[in-house]
Amino acid sequence: MRRVAIVFTVVAVSAGFVAGCGKSRVEALTDSGAPVTCEVKQGTKLGIATGNATGVFSALGNAYADQISLATDGKVTATAAETLASVQNIQQLVAGKYQVAFAQTDTAADAVLGIGTFDGDKQPVQALSRLYPSYTEVVVRADSGITSIAELRGKRVSTGSPKSGTEMLARRILRTGGLNPDSDIAVNRLDLAKAVAGMKDGSLDALFFTGGLPTPGLTELFRSGGDKYRFLDTSELLAGMRILSPAYELGTIPAAVYGLPEDVPSIVVPNVLLVRDNLDADVACVLTKALFDRKPQLEQANAAAKGIVLGAARDTNPVPLHRGAQHALAN
């Protein structure tokens, strides 16, 4: 009887505590199809899938989560989570674990078209906006003698976290460069922090990462010993990469970003901010407006946010723009 009384007391106190907290928050509702007002009428909580802890997705995702709450006076709250990035982000977005996800456009395009990693299974995702560009960052040890992708043959290479956009892009670059990523290199599927550690201790000859500039983990690597590492120029592979996806573009990693002796040409892929296609349109509208209304604060978190441009926000093809985002970008 005493145990029952204790349990009853705990339950009663817990119930009273919840009641005292007022109206509980709900996860973002599904879209009703009603006209978009861009107003969220009840407390809403969201999960944001980002990427590796030392990458730009993570830096901006955490800042974006904070700014969503500030932009909505706490009506909408968000929590950013470290993930393996693009491929996993889309899979878990569709599964309902997260309501917002950062992803590379090439991965997102594969998802909506049902090709590549998502072969035969089109994913029900749409975009809130095009984001900043990510750069193909292939770093090698300066004493390795590696000057091209082809010369990675037989080397110890990190191709990024499993199910990440980095891994997908790395495999495409290796194949375009004439290598079989499953047999021609000693592949290491590492997140950025572990890959950086491997470069420092000599257990890796090269690493791939796809990210905005600057990528915090690489900033730390070059700060610790800039003359020991250098970037490979991947631009000669652009034509072959564009056969795989029109999302790939030519860009340049400026020397000043990492204190390099000169600029480095690089293959670039834009990023997109994704939601499920059935997300409540008012929530989607609020999220899109927060992205641009609070852009100065995001730029303080990482300079890559300067690449989020309102004039290019709608350029997410072939990923459809969510109707809530369309309303936000038109007003």
Side-chain angles (χ1 to χ4, degrees):
M1 287 297 291
R2 184 172 181 271
R3 175 182 293 175
V4 172
I6 292 173
V7 170
F8 176 81
T9 300
V10 170
V11 171
V13 170
S14 298
F17 176 76
V18 171
C21 287
K23 194 171 184 179
S24 61
R25 292 185 174 273
V26 298
E27 289 190 359
L29 303 174
T30 55
D31 195 9
S32 67
V36 183
T37 65
C38 216
E39 295 181 5
V40 177
K41 297 179 174 60
Q42 64 185 108
T44 303
K45 61 181 181 180
L46 304 165
I48 303 176
T50 64
N52 290 179
T54 56
V56 178
F57 278 178
S58 180
L60 289 185
N62 279 280
Y64 182 46
D66 292 339
Q67 296 308 317
I68 288 170
S69 178
L70 292 171
T72 62
D73 293 325
K75 179 70 74 172
V76 181
T77 57
T79 302
E82 179 185 352
T83 68
L84 299 178
S86 295
V87 176
Q88 186 193 64
N89 285 1
I90 292 172
Q91 292 171 337
Q92 295 188 340
L93 176 67
V94 172
K97 183 171 182 179
Y98 301 106
Q99 290 71 46
V100 183
F102 285 75
Q104 292 173 197
T105 298
D106 55 351
T107 310
D110 283 1
V112 299
L113 296 174
I115 61 176
T117 303
F118 305 93
D119 188 25
D121 189 13
K122 295 181 179 180
Q123 303 297 300
V125 299
Q126 294 184 347
L128 295 182
S129 176
R130 175 173 169 143
L131 299 175
Y132 61 92
S134 276
Y135 293 73
T136 302
E137 300 174 296
V138 187
V139 182
V140 299
R141 295 182 60 83
D143 60 3
S144 66
I146 302 168
T147 60
S148 69
I149 294 297
E151 291 176 352
L152 291 175
R153 185 182 300 275
K155 302 299 184 180
R156 303 161 297 174
V157 183
S158 171
T159 55
S161 303
K163 296 187 177 182
S164 66
T166 290
E167 181 179 54
M168 186 187 80
L169 186 57
R171 292 178 64 82
R172 286 181 171 180
I173 287 176
L174 288 165
R175 288 189 183 281
T176 302
L179 300 178
N180 183 331
D182 297 316
S183 59
D184 288 340
I185 63 170
V187 66
N188 292 259
R189 304 172 76 194
L190 304 176
D191 65 30
L192 183 56
K194 291 179 181 177
V196 166
M199 293 294 286
K200 288 181 176 181
D201 66 23
S203 60
L204 287 178
D205 299 303
L207 70 79
F208 280 80
F209 192 74
T210 308
L213 302 179
T215 298
L218 295 184
T219 297
E220 193 275 328
L221 177 66
F222 279 90
R223 183 181 294 131
S224 69
D227 59 338
K228 297 180 181 178
Y229 316 102
R230 56 187 172 79
F231 283 95
L232 292 186
D233 177 351
T234 57
S235 61
E236 64 178 5
L237 303 178
L238 180 61
M241 291 292 287
R242 284 186 63 83
I243 294 173
L244 301 175
S245 173
Y248 301 121
E249 304 168 356
L250 180 63
T252 300
I253 300 173
V257 172
Y258 297 114
L260 307 175
E262 58 185 5
D263 295 348
V264 180
S266 172
I267 292 174
V268 174
V269 59
N271 297 298
V272 285
L273 195 60
L274 300 177
V275 294
R276 280 187 60 102
D277 61 4
N278 64 350
L279 178 71
D280 178 76
D282 288 325
V283 172
C285 184
V286 164
L287 292 175
T288 307
K289 285 183 66 65
L291 179 68
F292 289 96
D293 289 347
R294 313 296 292 192
K295 185 171 174 284
Q297 289 79 10
L298 299 182
E299 292 176 4
Q300 291 176 13
N302 190 283
K306 294 178 181 178
I308 303 174
V309 181
L310 186 58
R314 292 174 170 273
D315 187 10
T316 61
N317 188 55
V319 183
L321 201 62
H322 192 285
R323 75 184 191 98
Q326 292 178 21
H327 183 90
L329 295 172
N331 294 276

